[in-house]
Amino acid sequence: MGASARLLRAVIMGAPGSGKGTVSSRITKHFALKHLSSGDLLRDNMLRGTGFPRTLPQAEALDRAYQIDTVINLNVPFEVIKQRLTARWIHPASGRVYNIEFNPPKAVGVDDLTGEPLIQRDDDKPETVVKRLKAYEVQTQPVLEYYQKKGVLETFSGTETDKIWPYVYAFLQTKVPQMNQKASVTP
């Protein structure tokens, strides 16, 4: 098995709400890569929303199990993420979900059909979001430094996934053809 048949082993990092899910699904769609990052283990962690690797020991263990080729770090300002994550409001009786940015109620804070007040889930409250973001930063800083030292960290900064994506795409195009000649790289 030649080097050309090796798969690209990539890890995607970013705070909760930074767009990891969107970027992951675009990568699998555009590059016909079935296993993203460390395969099912990571997919499992991503589906449960736990994120991996979160700590330095996890990153080191992942490296021992799989040679990580590249780490894509989505660097989105906390203020932007906070706005994104706190924009969701719910009508408890019906389960209707509103998003202040994309799908706002006709009148602020009230359900369109009943006029009853909307609530915000604890997870979506600004103080909870800020706590989660701070915890993420503290926990993952050593992980990012570890990958930086290894020379595999690529950071993409921006406020919108649609603006960050073309850069991630262009970067991966330089990686994938060398890693796996059979991979389809047409958008």
Side-chain angles (χ1 to χ4, degrees):
M1 190 158 151
S4 67
R6 247 190 98 221
L7 288 173
L8 174 72
R9 294 209 169 97
V11 170
I12 297 178
M13 295 190 65
S18 62
K20 288 186 301 287
T22 306
V23 168
S24 299
S25 59
R26 287 184 190 181
I27 290 172
T28 46
K29 193 175 105 201
H30 288 297
F31 291 97
L33 300 173
K34 280 177 193 62
H35 284 305
L36 197 57
S37 306
S38 68
D40 301 327
L41 167 75
L42 201 73
R43 173 79 35 226
D44 260 11
N45 271 285
M46 269 162 68
L47 290 175
R48 286 202 307 274
T50 48
F52 182 90
R54 273 280 189 80
T55 63
L56 196 52
Q58 283 179 351
E60 290 166 343
L62 186 63
D63 248 354
R64 281 193 297 274
Y66 306 89
Q67 192 56 55
I68 299 302
D69 300 302
T70 191
V71 175
I72 293 164
N73 178 39
L74 304 178
N75 179 31
V76 178
F78 275 7
E79 263 318 299
V80 172
I81 294 175
K82 197 175 120 187
Q83 277 175 332
R84 226 178 253 180
L85 294 179
T86 56
R88 189 169 39 186
W89 289 80
I90 291 159
H91 178 246
S94 68
R96 274 187 289 280
V97 177
Y98 296 91
N99 184 298
I100 303 307
E101 292 173 41
F102 311 112
N103 174 35
K106 291 184 176 80
V108 178
V110 295
D111 180 54
D112 287 351
L113 301 182
T114 64
E116 291 167 354
L118 300 174
I119 63 151
Q120 204 169 29
R121 287 187 359 211
D122 282 345
D123 266 7
D124 301 330
K125 288 183 177 162
E127 55 275 19
T128 314
V129 168
V130 167
K131 243 184 247 150
R132 279 170 63 205
L133 292 175
K134 286 205 169 113
Y136 171 83
E137 193 172 47
V138 167
Q139 219 176 16
T140 54
Q141 196 52 47
V143 177
L144 294 173
E145 284 165 10
Y146 169 76
Y147 286 131
Q148 179 80 50
K149 277 193 199 100
K150 288 188 66 109
V152 294
L153 184 69
E154 285 292 326
T155 296
F156 298 88
S157 303
T159 56
E160 289 169 52
T161 307
D162 284 346
K163 297 218 169 91
I164 295 174
W165 167 246
Y167 296 98
V168 174
Y169 180 77
F171 166 71
L172 282 174
Q173 270 193 313
T174 68
K175 293 277 183 198
V176 174
Q178 301 159 3
M179 304 302 281
N180 185 354
Q181 301 295 343
K182 292 183 205 84
S184 142
V185 290
T186 49

